[in-house]
Amino acid sequence: MPDQSIPEARGPETPVEGSASQGLSRRKLLSTAGATGLVLGAAGGAVGYAAAPSGATTPLSSVGADRAMFHGKHQPGITEGLQARGHLVAFDLTAGAGRKEAAALLRRWSETARRLMAGEAAAHDDTDVAQDAGPSSLTVTFGFGHSFFARTGLEKQRPVSLDPLPDFSSDHLDKARSNGDLWVQIGANDALVAFHALRAIQKDAGGAARIRWQMNGFNRSPGATSHPMTARNLMGQMDGTRNPKPTEADFDKRIFVPASGSNDPTWMAGGSYAVVRRIRMLLDDWEKLSVKAQEQVIGRRKSDGAPLSGGTETTEMDLEKTDARGDLVVPINAHARITRPDQNGGAAMLRRPFSYHDGFDADGVPDAGLLFVCWQADPLRGFVTVQRKLDRGDALSKFIRHESSGLFAVPGGAARGEYVGQRLLEG
C-alpha cells in the first residue's frame, strides 16, 4: 500500500451543474441546512485536497446536497475526495455480445450515471431506494479491461499500457475476482445512494454483460472529524500523506493521458489507467505489534502521520537522520521510505481507495483490508515501478496479502450528448 492517498474530503471539487432545483429535482432536501449545504458543495477549488480553515467541519445535514458533474474533460471519481461508500464491479460481455452491444450498453450506462449523479431517478424502472436523498457526491466511472478489445474486435485500439501486470511476490490472486471486460467504480457519501447506483448499473447491463465480481468498501463519513484530515486505514495509520495533488504543476502529466505526444491511442486522451487490488490486511498479526513497532514498519508516527525523522505530517522526511546509536531513524525497509517518488525515479500515482470488511473466517480472523484503486497516466511507470520496489523488501509485506487484481483503461470524460467510450466504440 504505497504511502499515497487522498485526504478525507468535505465534498466533490467540481461545481454544481445547473440550479438547485435541477440538481435536486427528485430528492428534495427537507431542511434549510440541506439547502445551505448545496452552496457549500458548490464552492470552487479542490476541496478534496485543500486544507480547510481550522475547526471547520461539514454539517452532516448538508452531505446529501453535494454534487459532482458527469460531463467533463475527465470522468468523475478520479480527482474528487474520498467518499464514504463505494462499490467496485467488473462485468464480462455475454456470449454473442460484441462492439454493437457494448456501445449500446455504454450509452445506457452513461445516461443512467448522468441522471443519478444529478439526483434524478433512473430513466426506467427506478427502484426508489434513494428517493429521499440528494446526489450525495455520487460518482460513476467506467473502464475497459484487456479482454474487452478482443471481445469487440478492437484489438488494434488496445493500448500497450493495458498489457497484463507482472507477477509480484505478495500476490495470492483469485482469478475469479480479478480483471474483467468492463469495470465500474461507484462512490457516494450515502450508502443507499451508492447501492441505488449499483443496482441501476447492474439492471442496465441486461443481456449484454454479466457480473464477474463485485466488492464493497467504505471510508470515514464527511463531518465525522472536527476538520478535514488525511484518512486512516484499518491498521489505524494515516494513509496517503504524499498523494499527488491537482495544484501541483505536473499533476495532469502524472495522472492523465495527454491529447498528443504519448504512445496511447487517441481515444484515451484525457483518460487514465486504474489499477485495482483487493489487499487483505493480516490484522491479528499487525495488532500484536506495539505502536512503536508499527511506526517502524510504516516510517511515520501513528498519532499524527508525521515522519519518524520529526516535524508534522507534511514535513519532508529526512532519510539520512540517525539516532544516538547511529541507526537510521526511518528504517531502510520502512514502507513510507520505499514508496517515496524520489526513491522510485519520480514514479507516482493518485490513490483513491476504500477499506473493506467481509466478515470473519471460521477461526474468527477478519477478512478485511483495502480496496486499492490508483490512477496514473502510465501504469508501468506508476504502480509497477513502486510495487517492484516494495517486492524487494517492504517491512509491511508480511502483514498484507494481495488477493485480486485488475488493470483498466479509463477513457476521458464524455462531452454533452456523448457517452463514455464513444470515441473508441464509434471511432
Side-chain angles (χ1 to χ4, degrees):
M1 295 177 297
D3 183 39
Q4 303 163 348
S5 188
I6 297 177
E8 187 171 348
R10 295 173 58 204
E13 65 178 74
T14 49
V16 167
E17 181 180 31
S19 67
S21 60
Q22 175 190 10
L24 301 178
S25 60
R26 178 169 63 84
R27 304 166 185 167
K28 295 181 179 178
L29 297 183
L30 303 178
S31 69
T32 55
T36 302
L38 183 60
V39 177
L40 294 174
V47 182
Y49 301 83
S54 177
T57 185
T58 302
L60 292 180
S61 57
S62 73
V63 169
D66 289 335
R67 177 181 172 186
M69 294 196 304
F70 176 74
H71 296 296
K73 182 178 180 181
H74 312 300
Q75 286 196 60
I78 301 175
T79 60
E80 287 83 5
L82 293 180
Q83 293 145 303
R85 293 288 179 172
H87 301 294
L88 307 180
V89 54
F91 292 81
D92 286 334
L93 294 172
T94 56
R99 181 173 177 176
K100 178 181 177 181
E101 290 76 16
L105 174 58
L106 266 296
R107 189 180 296 110
R108 292 195 300 274
W109 274 353
S110 295
E111 176 60 11
T112 293
R114 183 195 68 77
R115 293 178 66 93
L116 298 187
M117 285 176 57
E120 301 172 6
H124 305 287
D125 301 321
D126 191 86
T127 62
D128 294 329
V129 170
Q131 66 173 320
D132 305 312
S136 301
S137 301
L138 175 68
T139 60
V140 186
T141 317
F142 304 104
F144 304 115
H146 185 275
S147 56
F148 176 82
F149 297 85
R151 298 293 305 275
T152 55
L154 291 166
E155 293 98 326
K156 292 183 179 180
Q157 290 295 320
R158 183 169 57 211
V160 174
S161 296
L162 204 57
D163 286 351
L165 297 173
D167 295 329
F168 301 105
S169 63
S170 58
D171 286 353
H172 296 75
L173 303 183
D174 179 354
K175 292 183 178 180
R177 292 195 295 181
S178 298
N179 302 312
D181 294 341
L182 293 156
W183 175 68
V184 185
Q185 174 191 255
I186 296 168
N189 283 332
D190 179 78
L192 287 179
V193 169
F195 175 81
H196 178 246
L198 174 66
R199 182 68 176 131
I201 290 296
Q202 185 254 331
K203 290 172 66 178
D204 273 351
R210 58 178 176 81
I211 292 178
R212 177 181 177 88
W213 54 260
Q214 193 258 314
M215 302 173 190
N216 308 310
F218 59 90
N219 286 302
R220 177 175 281 153
S221 297
T225 56
S226 61
H227 60 278
M229 58 187 296
T230 305
R232 291 187 185 271
N233 60 35
L234 298 188
M235 288 178 162
Q237 300 290 148
M238 286 190 173
D239 187 352
T241 300
R242 294 187 59 85
N243 217 31
K245 297 173 176 59
T247 53
E248 296 169 356
D250 61 350
F251 179 83
D252 280 3
K253 180 180 178 181
R254 288 178 168 188
I255 308 305
F256 295 110
V257 174
S260 60
S262 75
N263 295 323
D264 291 275
T266 56
W267 65 266
M268 271 296 291
S272 188
Y273 291 92
V275 173
V276 182
R277 310 276 280 186
R278 184 182 191 272
I279 304 177
R280 185 168 183 175
M281 295 176 173
L282 307 181
L283 294 177
D284 282 354
D285 295 336
W286 174 256
E287 291 163 4
K288 290 175 183 176
L289 299 180
S290 66
V291 170
K292 182 177 180 180
Q294 292 177 354
E295 291 176 339
Q296 291 287 307
V297 169
I298 301 299
R300 291 183 175 274
R301 291 201 300 257
K302 192 172 185 179
S303 60
D304 60 4
L308 296 183
S309 54
T312 66
E313 182 185 358
T314 57
T315 300
E316 190 71 17
M317 183 178 289
D318 185 349
L319 300 180
E320 305 303 322
K321 186 174 181 178
T322 57
D323 59 20
R325 296 179 299 179
D327 296 327
L328 289 170
V329 173
V330 180
I332 197 70
N333 63 346
H335 183 75
R337 172 191 284 269
I338 294 174
T339 58
R340 286 171 55 97
D342 58 9
Q343 301 295 302
N344 294 280
M349 53 196 142
L350 178 65
R351 290 186 61 217
R352 200 171 180 279
F354 294 94
S355 293
Y356 77 88
H357 176 228
D358 289 340
F360 300 86
D361 65 17
D363 296 323
V365 176
D367 182 1
L370 198 70
L371 300 182
F372 174 92
V373 182
C374 73
W375 302 89
Q376 58 262 283
D378 182 349
L380 184 61
R381 295 188 60 189
F383 173 79
V384 173
T385 296
V386 176
Q387 191 61 37
R388 280 176 170 162
K389 186 78 171 289
L390 292 171
D391 249 16
R392 294 196 290 268
D394 176 26
L396 185 61
S397 62
K398 64 165 58 176
F399 302 102
I400 61 174
R401 186 165 63 224
H402 291 235
E403 296 186 336
S404 71
S405 178
L407 172 62
F408 302 95
V410 176
R416 293 183 184 276
E418 295 182 347
Y419 63 87
V420 173
Q422 186 168 337
R423 283 171 285 175
L424 167 66
L425 292 163
E426 298 186 15

